[in-house]
Amino acid sequence: MKLKITLAISFLSLLIVFGAFKMDDDPFSQLLKKLDDYTSKYPQEKVHLHLDKPYYAIGDDIWFKAYVVNTKTSAPSDISKILYVELINEKDSLKKQVKLPIMGGITWGDFKLTDSLAEGNYRIRAYTNYMRNFGTDFFYDKTIKIGNSWANKVFTKTAYNFAKENNVDQVTATIHFEDKNGIAYSQNEVSYDVQLDYRSVSKGKVKTSLTGDAVINFTNNQPFQNKSGKIIATITLDNKQKVIKSIPITSTSNDVDVQFMPEGGTFVEELPQKVAIKAVGSNGRGEDVKGSIIDETGNEVTTFSTDFLGMGNFVFNSQSGRSYSAKVKFKDGSEKTIKLPVAVKSGYALSVNALDTGKVVVKIMASADLTNGAELKVVAQQGGNVYYGSKAKMDKQVLMANIPKKNLPAGIVQFTLFSDSNQPLAERLVFINNRSELIDVSLNSSSVSSSKRGKAAFTFNANNDNKPVLGSFSVAVTNATKVAPDENNESNILTSLLLTSDLTGYVEQPNHYFLKDDLQTQKELDNLMLTQGWRRFLWKNIINNVGPNITYKPEESITISGTVMKGNKPVPGGKVMLMATKGTMYILDTVTNAEGKFVFDNLSFGDSTKFVVQARTKTERKFVDINLDIVPGQIVTKNKNGADVDVNVNNTLMKYIKESDNYFNEMTRLGLLERTIKLDEVTITEKKNPAKNSSNLNGAGRADFVMTADQLSTCVTLSQCLQGRLPGVIFRGNIPYLMRSQDTPMGIIVDGMQMEADFLDNVTPMDVESIELLKSIGNTAIYGSRGGGGLIIITTKRGDGGRSVDRYAPGIVTFNPKGFTVSREFYSPKYDNASPDNKPDLRTTIYWNPQVVTDKDGKAQFDFYNADEPGTYRMVIEGIDAAGHLARKVYTYDVK
């Protein structure tokens, strides 16, 4: 049993501490043991990504280090050994994914932002396969801005105005079009499609004004559902070129939702309780309000106001037999009256005050009829570890206890009040800013040059509780003059692992709560706990021994497994061979068990490795079926941080992306950066059915594009025939991908049979009668998940009923699983007299090192060279030690 229990407690009434009863027999002890058993059986994980920059431009690299922590131990995770990191665009479409091995709770990787991507609001999401069992709320999910000046001709700036008519939201969008030099596109035709939650609500055409403005009006008839979406605007330039811009719609009204939440969860009559306020605009961000509480006669009882991001609190005592409402005043002068929750006549209230620097004050209040000596219990726990537990008899209306903060862990602590029958009565989350649990990074910058291309040599000592720590750290250095940080909205190792990973929904400006350690900031953080407190562990599940449905097992390594069947029966003792045919070379074999199952584990291979799995019965018969265990990919959920979406990304980042232009142009001149040349789409149609024998489920010939045999006679392989001829399709090697979904190979169906994506060149072009391309949702929907990346339907010639296509041999399947992504090394130039380098150095990320390790004395060192551009250089160091202590250090210096 791993309970971390504090015994020094002092209620005003009779109190029994743990030492006064048997831990094995007491019902309260059994409750705590259930918690310990539950969280030991179902430990969970948290993930934080340290990004080198807060925003990027097309052409940049995104460098990141991942820290994976076990919530039970707070130490680097020993549960999972594989991490998935994804880049997701505004359409909630997966653009890139890397699969990385986790070693000691850490890993690192990168994304290349090619110019085939569009500018916009992207998300970086990270999770382990095991984390999928507990829902996407606990994934690392951050919205980042990616601008584009390098490969962009049209820049937009959009302003929205809202009105309401007959309870219908009326929206006016004014979109300004200009080039990168700020010259307006005037008198240009703009066609538009307004979509709310992927449903088109308005289409039309307008012309830009002389100042380059296009005005688009639309309505939202379902304001309670469709509050966000996009405007797809297509502008025709003077040279007839069409440029498509996707402009986010973050809200369709100025409505503000206001909620009143009593501390502990329930209003109780005749008890003075703290009531929290949370006011949120339709764009998801906090809106400050003020107002008053009135009773049913209209008399004012008290006043209230929010003072930070729409959050605040006031003390209120609900009188018996009275009803109350809140008269709320908004910043535009409008008012709204909201009824407060009805108070119960009999109950308990839990109040926790964590504002004192040295202690937490716990107060239990009961209605007069419940001062009957009933035994109550209070538990404070984090991650399943109990840090405080006590019992007391409720023979007064108020009981209090003081808990030293030094006995509580840093982060969110969950306080729960239980009845004598161990039923939860009230709950409260508080944040403990226990600095003693953090790693102190003492930086020595005496050897840092302030000149261009000068050498910056750093050393630092890492200590916790005045003892050196052995830890892993990441270091990012940027030119803050070019990459200005948004400190309040920054996510870092402290905000991720101590705060947002234990709260559901959107947390606005998370780093604001860590920038200062003053009383006002503590009050603002406590309002967040009062209004958005939500916990990972639900007591009702723990008490009733109801565990989560563990569908996804922790991944120790890459595994290829499956079942061998003959007819509908498993094949025991079957012989299975695994051969790698591309990317690496090895052959493994094994034998199936009594259920016909086989497994190849402890595999490690790179991406794009192709395997062949061959199976036989133990008597060498090959007519068997191999069913591989395929773990479905994680669906892309809606962005929970939608309030971070920027309507005008390019304008917000204009200074940065113009600065980046110089760097990218220089890199291109030196041949170090590639640009993509996109071919225009060509659509060919025929009046007669060109694919009359097709197995297309939509109906023969019903496709986005069709090719026939006479177009396939001049090439050796089928992929050669199709290169550049299927609209919206690109080939990497011989594997086709839709341009809009370049991480998912297209599906291949030959005469109604599903084939692997690389099967294409097994079909002889001369044997093909028709090829149908399915890429629109209307044509792929009938195929379900198989059509997610688009489909190519191949129909072979049926002369004399024969076909010359080679089928898979019996007992053989090919498999192309996702392997580990090889992380690149950040290029950091070295300037010395021996090898002078005259190329301009215009980097924005000056230095990135994902693995700086301290020695046994807690010491570490690193060095790099400044770039050519002056400015304030900002260094961010983050890290973790083996005990789970976290570190963050920000340092700036000037380069002249």
Side-chain angles (χ1 to χ4, degrees):
M1 194 166 174
K2 304 174 183 177
L3 300 180
K4 301 179 180 178
I5 299 169
T6 303
L7 301 182
I9 46 184
S10 176
F11 272 100
L12 294 181
S13 66
L14 176 63
L15 177 68
I16 306 175
V17 296
F18 285 117
F21 56 86
K22 294 182 179 180
M23 293 290 289
D24 294 331
D25 299 327
D26 186 273
F28 189 29
S29 296
Q30 292 301 314
L31 172 69
L32 300 182
K33 187 175 186 307
K34 276 189 175 184
L35 170 66
D36 185 62
D37 291 343
Y38 183 93
T39 53
S40 295
K41 186 177 181 181
Y42 306 112
Q44 298 181 33
E45 293 175 312
K46 301 178 183 180
V47 176
H48 165 66
L49 259 57
H50 180 191
L51 305 177
D52 67 308
K53 283 188 294 206
Y55 46 79
Y56 299 86
I58 298 298
D60 270 337
D61 297 311
I62 299 178
W63 303 92
F64 59 85
K65 179 174 181 178
Y67 297 88
V68 187
V69 173
N70 181 337
T71 61
K72 179 67 174 175
T73 63
S74 299
S77 180
D78 56 358
I79 303 172
S80 298
K81 299 296 187 292
I82 295 176
L83 182 74
Y84 300 87
V85 184
E86 300 169 338
L87 185 67
I88 300 168
N89 68 6
E90 286 177 348
K91 301 175 183 177
D92 293 330
S93 175
L94 184 65
K95 303 307 294 180
K96 295 176 181 287
Q97 184 192 68
V98 295
K99 184 176 182 177
L100 301 168
I102 301 172
M103 298 163 287
I106 60 172
T107 188
W108 54 87
D110 58 88
F111 289 119
K112 182 73 178 174
L113 300 179
T114 60
D115 63 347
S116 59
L117 296 171
E119 78 270 9
N121 298 274
Y122 285 75
R123 296 158 58 191
I124 293 185
R125 187 173 74 166
Y127 58 91
T128 66
N129 205 43
Y130 179 67
M131 288 174 68
R132 297 171 65 183
N133 296 301
F134 308 99
T136 58
D137 281 316
F138 301 121
F139 290 4
Y140 176 89
D141 201 332
K142 178 174 175 57
T143 299
I144 61 169
K145 302 178 185 70
I146 298 179
N148 186 4
S149 173
W150 179 43
N152 196 10
K153 292 183 178 180
V154 178
F155 292 78
T156 63
K157 184 175 182 180
T158 305
Y160 290 100
N161 287 312
F162 307 110
K164 198 175 287 287
E165 294 181 13
N166 299 322
N167 208 32
V168 173
D169 293 336
Q170 306 281 347
V171 185
T172 299
T174 304
I175 308 173
H176 177 74
F177 294 87
E178 64 182 27
D179 64 16
K180 71 167 61 178
N181 297 315
I183 299 174
Y185 286 104
S186 59
Q187 299 296 298
N188 290 81
E189 187 177 89
V190 176
S191 60
Y192 62 86
D193 180 11
V194 180
Q195 298 179 5
L196 296 176
D197 287 350
Y198 304 103
R199 183 176 64 89
S200 180
V201 297
S202 179
K203 291 183 179 181
K205 291 183 178 180
V206 295
K207 267 197 172 183
T208 58
S209 67
L210 293 176
T211 56
D213 294 337
V215 179
I216 297 172
N217 296 294
F218 62 93
T219 62
N220 179 12
N221 295 315
Q222 296 177 299
F224 295 105
Q225 296 180 11
N226 304 318
K227 294 184 178 180
S228 62
K230 61 186 174 182
I231 300 174
I232 301 173
T234 304
I235 184 170
T236 304
L237 305 184
D238 294 339
N239 61 359
K240 304 301 181 184
Q241 181 183 0
K242 294 182 184 294
V243 176
I244 301 173
K245 309 300 289 187
S246 180
I247 301 156
I249 301 171
T250 57
S251 61
T252 59
S253 73
N254 284 323
D255 290 346
V256 178
D257 177 61
V258 183
Q259 297 182 50
F260 295 88
M261 291 158 273
E263 184 178 17
T266 306
F267 269 125
V268 183
E269 287 184 355
E270 308 290 348
L271 295 181
Q273 290 177 264
K274 188 179 288 184
V275 181
I277 318 161
K278 187 167 181 82
V280 180
S282 58
N283 60 2
R285 297 186 179 181
E287 293 278 354
D288 283 332
V289 298
K290 60 183 178 180
S292 58
I293 303 298
I294 57 175
D295 62 19
E296 74 278 7
T297 64
N299 291 326
E300 183 178 291
V301 178
T302 187
T303 60
F304 61 84
S305 65
T306 62
D307 50 15
F308 182 68
L309 301 180
M311 293 179 288
N313 72 75
F314 60 94
V315 176
F316 177 63
N317 192 332
S318 177
Q319 299 300 302
S320 177
R322 311 299 291 268
S323 61
Y324 300 90
S325 300
K327 186 178 288 186
V328 185
K329 296 180 181 179
F330 303 103
K331 62 181 181 181
D332 63 358
S334 61
E335 293 187 358
K336 183 192 244 182
T337 300
I338 302 170
K339 284 193 173 184
L340 292 187
V342 178
V344 298
K345 292 185 177 298
S346 176
Y348 298 96
L350 175 66
S351 174
V352 183
N353 187 338
L355 299 180
D356 190 288
T357 56
K359 64 185 178 183
V360 174
V361 180
V362 179
K363 182 191 295 183
I364 302 173
M365 295 177 287
S367 52
D369 63 310
L370 294 178
T371 56
N372 52 12
E375 188 177 70
L376 301 180
K377 301 105 174 179
V378 175
V379 173
Q381 61 92 15
Q382 181 191 84
N385 296 312
V386 175
Y387 292 86
Y388 174 85
S390 63
K391 299 194 304 184
K393 293 187 181 300
M394 199 77 202
D395 52 8
K396 297 180 181 180
Q397 275 199 273
V398 180
L399 300 178
M400 294 181 67
N402 296 324
I403 310 167
K405 276 192 174 180
K406 65 180 181 180
N407 296 332
L408 297 173
I412 294 177
V413 178
Q414 178 179 338
F415 282 81
T416 310
L417 175 67
F418 290 93
S419 69
D420 55 356
S421 59
N422 286 342
Q423 295 303 308
L425 301 173
E427 201 155 69
R428 168 81 147 91
L429 300 193
V430 297
F431 190 90
I432 305 299
N433 196 359
N434 195 339
R435 295 281 175 175
S436 65
E437 289 212 354
L438 302 181
I439 298 173
D440 177 40
V441 176
S442 178
L443 196 65
N444 182 353
S445 58
S446 59
S447 300
V448 176
S449 170
S450 61
S451 63
K452 299 176 184 177
R453 299 201 178 195
K455 186 175 183 179
F458 289 88
T459 60
F460 68 82
N461 289 352
N463 296 280
N464 175 256
D465 196 20
N466 295 319
K467 297 176 183 176
V469 299
L470 180 64
S472 173
F473 300 81
S474 49
V475 181
V477 182
T478 54
N479 185 342
T481 306
K482 298 173 68 173
V483 188
D486 181 3
E487 288 195 317
N488 282 317
N489 206 36
E490 214 167 23
S491 67
N492 54 61
I493 197 167
L494 303 182
T495 65
S496 291
L497 298 183
L498 297 182
L499 182 65
T500 58
S501 59
D502 284 320
L503 296 176
T504 188
Y506 171 65
V507 178
E508 190 174 355
Q509 298 187 19
N511 197 41
H512 168 82
Y513 305 107
F514 293 84
L515 293 176
K516 296 180 181 178
D517 193 17
D518 57 8
L519 181 60
Q520 181 59 33
T521 304
Q522 290 180 44
K523 288 180 178 179
E524 292 163 353
L525 180 53
D526 198 52
N527 285 332
L528 179 69
M529 296 294 102
L530 283 164
T531 57
Q532 205 163 329
W534 189 74
R535 63 286 312 143
R536 283 174 174 263
F537 304 109
L538 299 178
W539 279 106
K540 65 178 182 179
N541 292 340
I542 295 168
I543 292 168
N544 298 322
N545 295 316
V546 178
N549 185 17
I550 303 298
T551 304
Y552 304 101
K553 295 181 179 179
E555 292 180 293
E556 291 286 329
S557 64
I558 300 180
T559 298
I560 296 176
S561 62
T563 306
V564 179
M565 306 287 289
K566 187 171 177 59
N568 293 321
K569 296 181 179 180
V571 177
K575 302 174 182 178
V576 185
M577 181 180 295
L578 177 70
M579 294 170 285
T581 62
K582 182 181 177 183
T584 186
M585 290 299 296
Y586 55 78
I587 299 176
L588 302 172
D589 57 31
T590 189
V591 177
T592 60
N593 64 12
E595 288 80 37
K597 295 183 180 297
F598 66 90
V599 59
F600 296 97
D601 55 10
N602 296 318
L603 302 177
S604 181
F605 52 84
D607 227 352
S608 302
T609 303
K610 182 179 176 181
F611 291 93
V612 172
V613 182
Q614 176 181 290
R616 300 285 187 270
T617 67
K618 57 184 175 183
T619 57
E620 297 293 338
R621 293 185 178 274
K622 62 183 180 180
F623 290 93
V624 295
D625 295 318
I626 304 171
N627 301 322
L628 293 177
D629 297 331
I630 307 296
V631 178
Q634 173 62 44
I635 63 171
V636 179
T637 53
K638 197 169 183 179
N639 187 1
K640 70 176 182 178
N641 300 315
D644 283 336
V645 169
D646 192 326
V647 174
N648 301 300
V649 166
N650 271 341
N651 281 82
T652 302
L653 304 183
M654 184 60 73
K655 181 178 183 295
Y656 171 70
I657 59 180
K658 281 190 173 181
E659 294 272 6
S660 299
D661 255 3
N662 300 327
Y663 174 63
F664 296 145
N665 289 333
E666 180 64 24
M667 294 285 283
T668 304
R669 186 183 70 80
L670 297 171
L672 300 176
L673 209 60
E674 297 180 356
R675 289 194 176 189
T676 302
I677 300 175
K678 292 185 178 179
L679 301 178
D680 293 334
E681 290 192 8
V682 179
T683 303
I684 302 173
T685 59
E686 297 183 12
K687 291 183 179 179
K688 66 178 183 179
N689 188 348
K692 60 183 179 180
N693 296 316
S694 166
S695 62
N696 188 345
L697 297 181
N698 297 293
R702 294 187 178 180
D704 295 291
F705 181 71
V706 181
M707 292 182 70
T708 52
D710 59 331
Q711 298 170 283
L712 303 170
S713 57
T714 59
C715 44
V716 178
T717 65
L718 197 55
S719 62
Q720 286 181 343
C721 292
L722 302 181
Q723 291 266 9
R725 300 175 73 180
L726 293 180
V729 177
I730 61 172
F731 282 81
R732 297 207 293 265
N734 65 338
I735 299 177
Y737 296 81
L738 286 180
M739 286 184 179
R740 68 166 187 262
S741 183
Q742 296 185 27
D743 289 322
T744 305
M746 297 186 70
I748 308 295
I749 295 178
V750 181
D751 293 335
M753 296 183 63
Q754 183 93 16
M755 299 296 181
E756 295 290 328
D758 58 358
F759 187 80
L760 207 57
D761 286 345
N762 291 328
V763 180
T764 304
M766 293 183 63
D767 291 334
V768 175
E769 180 179 274
S770 66
I771 293 178
E772 296 162 277
L773 170 65
L774 309 184
K775 62 177 183 176
S776 66
I777 187 65
N779 285 327
T780 61
I782 196 170
Y783 286 91
S785 60
R786 289 190 299 165
L791 289 164
I792 294 176
I793 311 291
I794 300 173
T795 304
T796 59
K797 295 175 181 176
R798 296 182 180 322
D800 298 327
R803 293 181 294 241
S804 61
V805 176
D806 291 333
R807 299 296 181 196
Y808 289 113
I812 295 178
V813 296
T814 63
F815 187 38
N816 192 13
K818 187 168 187 64
F820 288 133
T821 305
V822 178
S823 299
R824 295 178 297 156
E825 184 176 349
F826 180 83
Y827 171 67
S828 183
K830 295 185 182 298
Y831 299 119
D832 51 50
N833 296 328
S835 55
D837 188 345
N838 297 320
K839 297 191 296 289
D841 185 352
L842 308 176
R843 291 168 294 150
T844 53
T845 298
I846 309 301
Y847 181 67
W848 167 254
N849 190 337
Q851 184 67 334
V852 177
V853 180
T854 53
D855 59 22
K856 61 182 178 59
D857 298 319
K859 298 182 182 295
Q861 62 182 18
F862 57 91
D863 59 71
F864 55 90
Y865 289 84
N866 300 326
D868 277 342
E869 295 181 295
T872 298
Y873 283 27
R874 182 176 189 253
M875 174 190 299
V876 177
I877 302 175
E878 294 187 354
I880 192 170
D881 69 4
H885 299 124
L886 307 179
R888 187 169 194 264
K889 179 80 172 182
V890 178
Y891 174 77
T892 60
Y893 66 98
D894 292 326
V895 174
K896 301 176 182 178

